[in-house]
Amino acid sequence: MTSLVIAEHDNALIKGATLNTVTAAKACGGEVHVLVAGEGAAAAAAAAAQIVGVSKVIHADGTSLKDGLAENVAAQILSIAGSYSHILFPSTAAGKNIAPRVAAKLDVAQISDITKVDSADTFERPIYAGNAIATVQSADAVKVITVRTTGFDAAAATGGSAAVETTVAVADSGKSALVGREVTKSDRPELTAAKIIVSGGRALGSAEKFSEVITPLADKLGAAIGASRAAVDAGYAPNDLQVGQTGKIVAPQLYIAAGISGAIQHLAGMKDSKVIVAINKDPEAPIFSVADYGLEADLFTAVPEIAGAL
Amino acid sequence: MKVLVPVKRVVDYNVKVRVKSDGTGVDIANVKMSMNPFDEIAVEEAVRLKEKGVVTEVIVVSCGVTQCQETLRTAMAIGADRGILVETDVDLQPLAIAKLLKALVDKEQPGLVILGKQAIDGDNNQTGQMLAALTDLPQATFASKVEVAGDKVAVSREVDGGLETLSLSIPAIITTDLRLNEPRYVTLPNIMKAKKKQLDTFKPEDLGVDVAPRLKTLKVAEPAKRGAGVKVADVAALVDKLKNEAKVI
């Protein structure tokens, strides 16, 4: 029984989500191998070999894997899938894009967003926006899984010494191509990996107010900035800051929700945070039902005051 | 070019579901059901492509119990031309749905299949990708913009950290993200017209698909409850609690 973890990387560095996925793979039992598929990704493969608990790194390098296209990466995984009992992806945009494609080609069910490994064939996963936890058992020969990274601790990134094996990249499918990328620039910690998150909602009123009120507090705390769907839809914050069922799932040490009412879909993305603080004018806002500390106040005065008091 | 749009009947997104006390599932008896919000966005996009003249026919399909007809009628009221119901009482999992859809893709030969990125009940986010794999077509998931030009479709996708744009050769599979469009409200005259549109019904056997579930649900439980919180009087008290009680800053 051996597990294969599909690494998320930018060719030079291994992304944090991979480390949590390795921990989930270890819980499935057996050896853990990591696939690094990319172009010029030798540095990422070397970094993957350092992860504690990994016994082999398979490094596939070629132009077809440059842009992480689902068609090509899935084909690459399928070329080696035969030797594995479990194939695990981090439940990121890239992982969610590719995993079901691999599962369908293998004619097996895929298990999405697991939060716990009960045994090698039994897993727990949230359904209905996190309002219920299902325990599911798979009878398939290969378990194709995406891992909710906030459900598992990160494996140590250094201290391991796995062998790196190179393999030939698959041919390009020719059916899709990357045209361009627009990356939101940010020097802040990555939302899904941040220890502290300051999140703003519709009550902020405008993009200017959003950054004027939320940014100084986030700066003071070295925190990532998040947003509710309402704030994103209104254009106060970019899409990739959205926390919730359909955005990012986060579980920081401290989550500060300012001007967020706390709809089911938002709670689904943050209710596993260690400490939740709610700042809201409305005493009836549902966010107060999950908050450890609630402050009933106008966020335009309270948030700057908190920043000032730190 | 035809477009095929799969739609799912799910518990309305505003309903807070309750787990059954025997742990066999969530209680959906007498709960309001609606079209999955991402599927509404998919239907809207298909209808807009038709209005632009890029698409000739929009076919909606739903797999599940008889009541899914209502979901199909809603889609037809938005502007879809005809509907297909694959009727079964079996609890359908994404792989089974993808196989049913593949059979329909083979039959109807659409240029595009537009699905929602995930259904808000199972939260799986699999069916579109699985359909792309089974039909061996290119995929663009989490779409926030779709532009058809000749035999290619350019799709902007919402990814971690920003956006990326892909160019796919048609036929292709697309799954919708929230920002793709704002679905229109259905009007009463259109609801009346939708009742007269063609709706064909198949069984999974007619399509030669085995829909037996692959994953067994052993138990469904309530998530762990959070301990009751406290309300603090002012900012000073809050900062003090965070520093000295919770020790998170």
Side-chain angles (χ1 to χ4, degrees):
Chain A
M1 202 165 73
T2 310
S3 297
L4 179 68
V5 169
I6 312 305
E8 183 135 335
H9 64 91
D10 62 1
N11 289 324
L13 295 168
I14 292 287
K15 294 205 177 148
T18 311
L19 303 175
N20 308 83
T21 310
V22 166
T23 304
K26 277 193 259 183
C28 295
E31 278 187 38
V32 178
H33 295 181
V34 172
L35 172 70
V36 176
E39 190 189 39
Q50 298 281 309
I51 302 171
V52 174
V54 173
S55 54
K56 184 158 93 177
V57 173
I58 300 158
H59 176 203
D61 216 285
T63 324
S64 64
L65 303 171
K66 180 170 172 250
D67 299 317
L69 296 170
E71 296 76 15
N72 298 343
V73 179
Q76 187 72 49
I77 297 165
L78 289 161
S79 73
I80 57 169
S83 359
Y84 296 99
S85 60
H86 295 72
I87 302 176
L88 301 97
F89 299 73
S91 188
T92 54
K96 289 192 262 195
N97 189 34
I98 298 164
R101 200 167 172 113
V102 172
K105 290 274 191 194
L106 293 171
D107 193 29
V108 300
Q110 188 223 293
I111 309 147
S112 293
D113 237 3
I114 63 161
T115 49
K116 195 167 167 225
V117 177
D118 285 349
S119 71
D121 66 356
T122 308
F123 310 91
E124 292 182 19
R125 56 177 304 264
I127 54 174
Y128 287 92
N131 284 306
I133 308 293
T135 305
V136 296
Q137 188 175 40
S138 162
D140 288 319
V142 185
K143 279 79 176 165
V144 178
I145 294 166
T146 61
V147 175
R148 181 172 286 197
T149 53
T150 59
F152 297 86
D153 295 332
T158 54
S161 55
V164 179
E165 188 179 282
T166 53
T167 181
V168 187
V170 293
D172 186 62
S173 78
K175 287 178 177 169
S176 66
L178 181 77
V179 180
R181 269 201 184 112
E182 273 175 63
V183 177
T184 316
K185 286 205 178 57
S186 169
D187 345 314
R188 294 186 180 283
E190 202 199 340
L191 191 53
T192 50
K195 294 248 182 302
I196 303 179
I197 295 172
V198 182
S199 215
R202 183 163 37 197
L204 269 310
S206 70
E208 293 71 36
K209 280 284 174 197
F210 192 95
S211 64
E212 193 183 307
V213 174
I214 299 293
T215 311
L217 179 57
D219 285 343
K220 267 274 165 69
L221 293 165
I225 293 179
S228 69
R229 180 184 165 189
V232 169
D233 281 353
Y236 305 165
N239 300 345
D240 57 324
L241 295 192
Q242 185 187 323
V243 172
Q245 184 186 19
T246 60
K248 301 265 167 43
I249 313 286
V250 299
Q253 295 287 306
L254 173 61
Y255 188 91
I256 301 179
I260 293 176
S261 64
I264 299 173
Q265 295 80 8
H266 186 74
L267 300 183
M270 46 63 81
K271 69 187 164 70
D272 292 324
S273 306
K274 185 160 174 271
V275 174
I276 297 173
V277 170
I279 302 162
N280 209 302
K281 267 201 302 208
D282 175 10
E284 303 297 323
I287 190 81
F288 284 122
S289 68
V290 300
D292 299 279
Y293 302 111
L295 178 63
E296 211 183 296
D298 182 8
L299 69 95
F300 292 105
T301 53
V303 174
E305 250 186 78
I306 297 171
L310 291 170
Chain B
M1 173 169 85
K2 288 191 213 173
V3 177
L4 188 71
V5 185
V7 294
K8 186 174 185 185
R9 175 178 180 264
V10 298
V11 170
D12 189 85
Y13 73 97
N14 279 313
V15 172
K16 190 171 184 325
V17 294
R18 294 199 190 286
V19 172
K20 285 193 215 163
S21 51
D22 62 358
T24 54
V26 301
D27 192 1
I28 58 166
N30 305 317
V31 164
K32 185 182 177 211
M33 306 291 279
S34 316
M35 194 192 304
N36 180 43
F38 291 101
D39 302 348
E40 264 187 295
I41 295 171
V43 176
E44 174 69 31
E45 193 64 21
V47 172
R48 286 187 193 188
L49 288 172
K50 190 181 172 194
E51 288 165 349
K52 275 188 213 157
V54 185
V55 159
T56 49
E57 188 183 30
V58 177
I59 309 157
V60 283
V61 48
S62 192
C63 306
V65 294
T66 319
Q67 290 89 329
C68 295
Q69 282 183 6
E70 294 158 23
T71 314
L72 289 169
R73 293 289 174 203
T74 308
M76 288 189 264
I78 295 172
D81 298 291
R82 62 185 166 94
I84 299 172
L85 171 65
V86 182
E87 196 179 341
T88 173
D89 290 331
V90 178
D91 163 43
L92 293 173
Q93 292 179 349
L95 184 61
I97 300 172
K99 286 180 179 177
L100 292 170
L101 295 174
K102 177 187 187 287
L104 293 172
V105 167
D106 290 346
K107 201 171 142 86
E108 298 284 351
Q109 296 289 320
L112 292 176
V113 183
I114 309 181
L115 307 88
K117 80 163 174 182
Q118 77 190 58
I120 59 166
D121 50 0
D123 281 336
N124 282 305
N125 195 332
Q126 300 175 4
T127 308
Q129 294 90 316
M130 286 184 154
L131 176 62
L134 297 175
T135 53
D136 229 346
L137 294 177
Q139 70 185 51
T141 50
F142 325 143
S144 59
K145 195 169 152 199
V146 173
E147 273 176 72
V148 178
D151 61 350
K152 301 263 183 201
V153 57
V155 182
S156 298
R157 307 178 54 227
E158 293 196 7
V159 294
D160 299 334
L163 285 175
E164 69 175 30
T165 305
L166 298 182
S167 170
L168 309 180
S169 54
I170 288 174
I173 313 288
I174 296 170
T175 76
T176 64
D177 214 320
L178 281 173
R179 249 72 56 179
L180 181 58
N181 61 47
E182 186 89 30
R184 69 195 67 182
Y185 286 104
V186 293
T187 58
L188 188 59
N190 284 344
I191 293 172
M192 301 312 288
K193 272 185 235 161
K195 287 186 179 167
K196 295 201 182 70
K197 290 184 180 174
Q198 181 189 345
L199 199 166
D200 299 316
T201 303
F202 296 97
K203 298 273 180 199
E205 305 84 86
D206 305 336
L207 301 169
V209 176
D210 170 21
V211 292
R214 300 291 192 83
L215 287 180
K216 195 166 133 194
T217 301
L218 303 179
K219 184 177 80 175
V220 175
E222 292 261 355
K225 288 258 187 301
R226 292 186 72 92
V230 292
K231 283 219 178 158
V232 293
D234 53 24
V235 167
L238 176 64
V239 173
D240 174 64
K241 293 261 192 205
L242 291 178
K243 277 190 174 151
N244 302 316
E245 194 176 281
K247 298 195 186 0
V248 283
I249 55 174

